[in-house]
Amino acid sequence: MDSPDTFTSHGVEFSRDAEKFGWLTESSDIREDGGALRARMAKDGYLFIRDCLDKDVVTGARREILERLASVDEIDTSHPLMDAVASGTSTRGKLPDTRAFGNDLRNGPALTRLVHEGNVISFYETFLGGEVRPFDHIWLRNVRVGGATGCHYDVVYMGRGTHNLYTSWIPIGDVPYCDGALMILEDSHTHQDLREGYGAVDVDSGKPNPWGGGWFSRNPVEVQDQFGGRWLTADDGGFRLGDLLVFSMFTMHCSLDNVSPVNRIRITSDTRYQLASEPADERWVGDDPVGHDINKRSA
Ligand SMILES: O=C(O)CCC(=O)C(=O)O
């Protein structure tokens, strides 16, 4: 897989020194052992399982998403569809209802099957030890060249229910480093001051906070200087179709810049899962989850 010379997020270069950078620990060997998975999550704040998901199902979701993006001319069809090369143009704005298009894209049957059924659910049943409830809202990222995600905890976006809640970051196709792979800050879930300060923010509370939209920082090096730990990502070229990365609400993460030399769109999902018996954040469940529009819709 392509590997850039430098790893950056929002243009800030990560140190690749051994004490600052490393690889995610794989948990593939303990994937059938719920107790071991819970112990590893408590220790590391994440679980990385290669080849966990059904590759045909992931491929089906990728095809569905790309066909839909191609229908609004966002894919360069001089390349194979599944290469996800961006056209640099779009006719989405000419649709009568662009919001409905976005909703349909996130809720297609193949993507829904990937994130709401099958291997991901059985994984969570083992990990959480009971009946699992995925959030009904499905998060889909189509990240173009130049895009990146800043450093944050997920709890600031979805902390109104149980905190025994986990994000599944799913590469819907291979995600080499240059396409904007995910990075996790080692031991970031263990910093009590960070959990109790930034981690207590609710971005929809209406109360001002120093982090505004929810990202803690766009600068991963400053975050590392403040809290220590290595920035970790998948070894051996990056994430591959079939992999599953699970992390806690208090695990600091960000993404590399998408610097794909072939202008590939990074397609991933980061949907959330919890025990069905525990309270769920009202914003993300139901037939038509209100999400961050909660204040608008209830006004
Ligand atoms: O994939 C990304 O760029 C962001 C994902 C993310 O922030 C998350 O999984 O919480």
Side-chain angles (χ1 to χ4, degrees):
M1 288 199 262
D2 291 320
S3 189
D5 295 335
T6 56
F7 282 18
T8 60
S9 184
H10 292 101
V12 178
E13 186 175 345
F14 289 81
S15 166
R16 302 282 288 279
D17 294 346
E19 71 277 11
K20 298 268 172 101
F21 181 88
W23 307 122
L24 295 164
T25 301
E26 263 193 63
S27 291
S28 310
D29 55 330
I30 55 166
R31 64 187 270 192
E32 305 296 339
D33 181 343
L37 291 170
R38 289 189 286 279
R40 173 102 19 112
M41 176 60 80
K43 177 177 162 294
D44 289 346
Y46 72 89
L47 299 167
F48 177 40
I49 318 233
R50 291 267 195 205
D51 295 322
C52 182
L53 305 174
D54 182 319
K55 291 188 177 153
D56 289 339
V57 174
V58 186
T59 302
R62 182 173 178 84
R63 180 167 297 109
E64 173 182 274
I65 294 158
L66 285 166
E67 282 172 351
R68 290 174 178 207
L69 293 177
S71 76
V72 288
D73 300 319
E74 293 183 11
I75 302 300
D76 180 345
T77 48
S78 68
H79 297 269
L81 178 75
M82 296 297 266
D83 286 0
V85 175
S87 64
T89 180
S90 176
T91 51
R92 199 189 289 217
K94 294 189 181 145
L95 295 174
D97 188 345
T98 52
R99 192 183 164 97
F101 178 84
N103 281 342
D104 288 348
L105 193 60
R106 277 191 291 103
N107 292 299
L111 178 58
T112 302
R113 185 171 169 218
L114 170 63
V115 299
H116 281 174
E117 297 171 28
N119 290 9
V120 72
I121 299 299
S122 21
F123 166 80
Y124 273 100
E125 284 166 353
T126 305
F127 168 45
L128 296 176
E131 191 192 335
V132 171
R133 171 177 203 163
F135 279 1
D136 296 301
H137 183 93
I138 294 173
W139 282 260
L140 171 64
R141 315 263 166 193
N142 300 305
V143 181
R144 316 291 159 120
V145 166
T149 297
C151 309
H152 65 280
Y153 274 177
D154 280 354
V155 71
V156 304
Y157 302 108
M158 52 202 69
R160 294 187 184 180
T162 181
H163 289 177
N164 187 26
L165 172 70
Y166 299 89
T167 295
S168 277
W169 193 83
I170 297 178
I172 306 179
D174 291 346
V175 179
Y177 310 123
C178 62
D179 288 11
L182 205 81
M183 306 290 289
I184 279 186
L185 185 63
E186 185 175 44
D187 295 337
S188 50
H189 63 304
T190 64
H191 293 282
Q192 214 48 38
D193 48 345
L194 188 59
R195 293 175 70 110
E196 288 168 10
Y198 165 67
V201 165
D202 174 340
V203 296
D204 296 320
S205 68
K207 294 187 201 137
N209 73 72
W211 299 281
W215 287 354
F216 182 76
S217 172
R218 286 171 179 255
N219 185 328
V221 173
E222 271 179 19
V223 179
Q224 182 169 52
D225 288 346
Q226 201 174 345
F227 298 104
R230 295 174 301 158
W231 279 106
L232 308 173
T233 191
D235 65 355
D236 199 18
F239 294 90
R240 296 195 286 267
L241 183 147
D243 293 349
L244 174 66
L245 174 63
V246 173
F247 51 88
S248 83
M249 289 296 106
F250 296 93
T251 300
M252 186 70 79
H253 56 283
C254 69
S255 82
L256 295 176
D257 291 321
N258 183 341
V259 292
S260 165
V262 296
N263 210 20
R264 191 166 33 241
I265 302 171
R266 186 252 285 179
I267 303 175
T268 53
S269 172
D270 43 278
T271 297
R272 277 80 194 183
Y273 302 79
Q274 64 172 83
L275 281 170
S277 56
E278 297 186 353
D281 186 322
E282 70 216 322
R283 290 168 290 181
W284 306 111
V285 294
D287 287 342
D288 180 20
V290 62
H292 295 304
D293 284 345
I294 188 150
N295 300 324
K296 282 192 223 154
R297 281 211 214 165
S298 58

